[in-house]
Amino acid sequence: MTGFFASPAGDIGLALFLNAGDPPLEILEPLLLALDAARVDCLELAIPFPDSVSDGPVIRRSADRALANGTDPDGVLSFVARLRPQLRHLKIALFADWGHTVRSRPLPDFLDRVSGAGADALLVHGLPPRLGPTLCETAERTGLAVVTSCYASSDPAVMDEAARRATAYLYLVAQYGRTGTTPPQGFAALAPVIERLRAVGNAPVAVGFGVKERAHLEALRAVGADAAIVGSAFVARMEEAQANGRDPVDEALACVEALRPSVPALPREAIP
């Protein structure tokens, strides 16, 4: 497996999603170090923004908590810059909303800041399609890899464009809807979609939306996905841990162990 995902032989890559600031950044720092030690491949780290129409209630509550904690773009970029040199395996794909975070800034300046902070890639949520070429060209000049996305039901031309432009990975949304919703028919229907995307582009294909458990990862591996993205289910574990006074780091490690038992769990005291 190439690029962002370097999982044990025969397994599938693993990406997790969190809003920066939920848990608070002082807790998020040891949590990311724990994910790195557990050899999670990628963290999609969102700069929080309100009222996302594509997110379900779990991720929307998380974004609201992060914003209430005072999390802002400058703080997130400073956090990434401080932490990135300590990570040996985990890559950070920064997730930024076009309307809330990016649009008010000159695009080259924003990409320079993201690259300078050490983020491994950038996914811009809600980017107007007409700006896709500009984003990719500007990112290439700054040396920043790009995550593109499409739905499994997207028009073939949209899929092909997403596959060609992805330089980090392509985020394949398993079904149209909101985060946290598993396709009622399962993931088997994605096989021809993944085959098409791989024939057009060179970046790994990572599947998200409704990926919650080990059986889902195995199903995605069977249809040829390079990685699985676990978002709402992971955020929900963090929400429950904080609400019930449990350590989010311990909860994160337990979640990873359940998702990928092929990687031996590390004792908590072994985490930097």
Side-chain angles (χ1 to χ4, degrees):
M1 195 176 295
T2 60
F4 259 62
F5 307 106
S7 298
D11 210 335
I12 186 171
L14 177 60
L16 302 173
F17 172 92
L18 283 175
N19 278 295
D22 181 52
L25 296 181
E26 61 268 20
I27 298 174
L28 197 60
E29 182 166 344
L31 198 155
L32 263 64
L33 293 174
L35 296 181
D36 182 53
R39 298 187 66 80
V40 172
D41 297 299
C42 174
L43 178 70
E44 290 188 347
L45 184 65
I47 299 173
F49 59 98
D51 304 323
S52 171
V53 296
S54 62
D55 285 323
V58 170
I59 290 180
R60 292 183 72 167
R61 288 196 302 269
S62 171
D64 289 344
R65 287 191 298 270
L67 291 168
N69 286 333
T71 310
D72 60 20
D74 289 342
V76 175
L77 291 173
S78 296
F79 173 81
V80 172
R82 183 175 72 253
L83 193 62
R84 186 64 191 86
Q86 303 177 58
L87 303 177
R88 293 172 292 180
H89 183 84
L90 182 73
K91 294 180 174 65
I92 296 178
L94 199 68
F95 187 107
D97 181 67
W98 168 256
H100 186 264
T101 305
V102 183
R103 182 173 57 188
S104 61
R105 298 164 169 83
L107 187 59
D109 292 353
F110 181 73
L111 295 186
D112 279 339
R113 291 198 62 198
V114 172
S115 178
D120 298 280
L122 174 66
L123 190 162
V124 178
H125 172 268
L127 180 74
R130 64 182 174 79
L131 294 179
T134 301
L135 172 69
C136 293
E137 292 164 8
T138 307
E140 184 176 9
R141 288 197 295 270
T142 64
L144 182 64
V146 171
V147 181
T148 62
S149 64
C150 66
Y151 288 93
S153 58
S154 290
D155 183 87
V158 173
M159 290 187 189
D160 291 352
E161 184 176 33
R164 284 193 295 266
R165 289 181 176 165
T167 52
Y169 58 93
L170 189 154
Y171 188 145
L172 175 60
V173 181
Q175 69 166 6
Y176 186 79
R178 290 187 173 184
T179 53
T181 306
T182 303
Q185 74 279 16
F187 297 101
L190 296 180
V193 178
I194 293 170
E195 184 178 359
R196 178 191 181 95
L197 293 170
R198 187 166 286 114
V200 174
N202 297 316
V205 178
V207 178
F209 272 49
V211 182
K212 301 178 180 180
E213 57 192 46
R214 178 62 196 176
H216 293 161
L217 271 68
E218 292 173 349
L220 290 174
R221 179 175 57 83
V223 297
D226 295 300
I229 303 169
V230 181
S232 294
F234 187 59
V235 172
R237 293 283 292 260
M238 298 299 96
E239 181 178 53
E240 292 167 7
Q242 294 177 91
N244 295 301
R246 299 196 300 271
D247 183 355
V249 177
D250 288 342
E251 196 73 15
L253 291 173
C255 182
V256 171
E257 184 178 5
L259 290 168
R260 207 163 65 176
S262 59
V263 179
L266 289 173
R268 179 70 169 84
E269 59 270 17
I271 307 300

